[in-house]
Each structure stands twice: as C-alpha cells, then as structure tokens.
Amino acid sequence: QAKLQESGGGLAQAGESLTLSCAISGPIGSNTAIGWFRQIPNRERQFVGVMSAGGTLYYADSVKGRFTISRDRTKNTVYLQMHNLKPEDTAIYFCGAVSYDRGTNVPAIPYTQYDYWGQGTQVTVSS
C-alpha cells in the first residue's frame, strides 16, 4: 500500500513563497496522477493542481501562474511551489494519488475518487 507524506507548510506573509513536498513510498501504479488539494474548515477539499502520469500539469484558476507542481523521481517526491501567496491560500494542503484509465480527464477527477492521501500540512498566509 502506498503512503504519502506532506511537509513544508508553515507561516508566510502575503507575497512570500513556500514549497510543499509530498514524499511517496510504497507501490504506485504506472497510470497514477498526483494531485494537490486544500481544505479550510467546514468546506470541501478544493482542487489546486495535478500532475498526470505522463507529467502533464493542470492547475486551478485561482493558483495558475503562482503555483507550480514538479516531481523528482529519484526522490519519489512531488513538490508544490507556491509563489506570491495570498491570505486566501490559507488552508491545509493535501497530496493524493489516483489511478485512472486512459482517456480520463485527470483534473476533473474528484477528490473522493483518490486512492491515497497524506495527512496534510497547514499553510497560513498573513496579510
């Protein structure tokens, strides 16, 4: 069974940057996407971005141009670089893994269908 573990959250001021890491261990199928979501209290988990199995990147409009997902396969780690942070980026950030069939619209896969999740890491942005 795969395990995902996020790290790198913390406090930042508006305009600053943070980089989150998602360390992946255990078996993950070849057709697996790694997604980033965020959640604030009493709200559903919100899509931030996803890297498909082939490396294609997709982002939510709210973070496009500010956030970047990358992967270091030698370290089995996926990163979420967050620049020009805003107070509305404050949330718990989760990485998740989902296996999918060819032809699937990867960014449209709802978080409820993800197979594995990390425990989350808190990001707090002050104004």
Side-chain angles (χ1 to χ4, degrees), residues 64-109:
K64 205 171 290 183
R66 299 189 298 123
F67 290 12
T68 302
I69 296 173
S70 60
R71 185 170 192 164
D72 185 338
R73 291 188 179 273
T74 65
K75 296 181 180 179
N76 283 335
T77 300
V78 175
Y79 302 97
L80 179 66
Q81 295 175 284
M82 305 184 294
H83 301 292
N84 189 21
L85 283 163
K86 303 177 180 181
E88 52 264 41
D89 294 320
T90 296
I92 299 174
Y93 283 71
F94 298 87
C95 63
V98 60
S99 299
Y100 61 94
D101 296 326
R102 279 183 178 272
T104 299
N105 183 6
V106 173
I109 300 174

Side-chain angles (χ1 to χ4, degrees), residues 13-79:
Q13 292 197 325
E16 292 185 339
S17 301
L18 282 175
T19 296
L20 307 183
S21 300
C22 174
I24 303 165
S25 59
I28 285 190
S30 57
N31 229 39
T32 298
I34 303 298
W36 286 95
F37 288 74
R38 62 189 181 187
Q39 190 169 19
I40 59 175
N42 301 316
R43 298 287 295 272
E44 284 205 335
R45 211 161 280 195
Q46 178 190 42
F47 173 76
V48 173
V50 63
M51 174 182 283
S52 74
T56 305
L57 299 171
Y58 305 89
Y59 299 98
D61 287 343
S62 59
V63 306
K64 205 171 290 183
R66 299 189 298 123
F67 290 12
T68 302
I69 296 173
S70 60
R71 185 170 192 164
D72 185 338
R73 291 188 179 273
T74 65
K75 296 181 180 179
N76 283 335
T77 300
V78 175
Y79 302 97

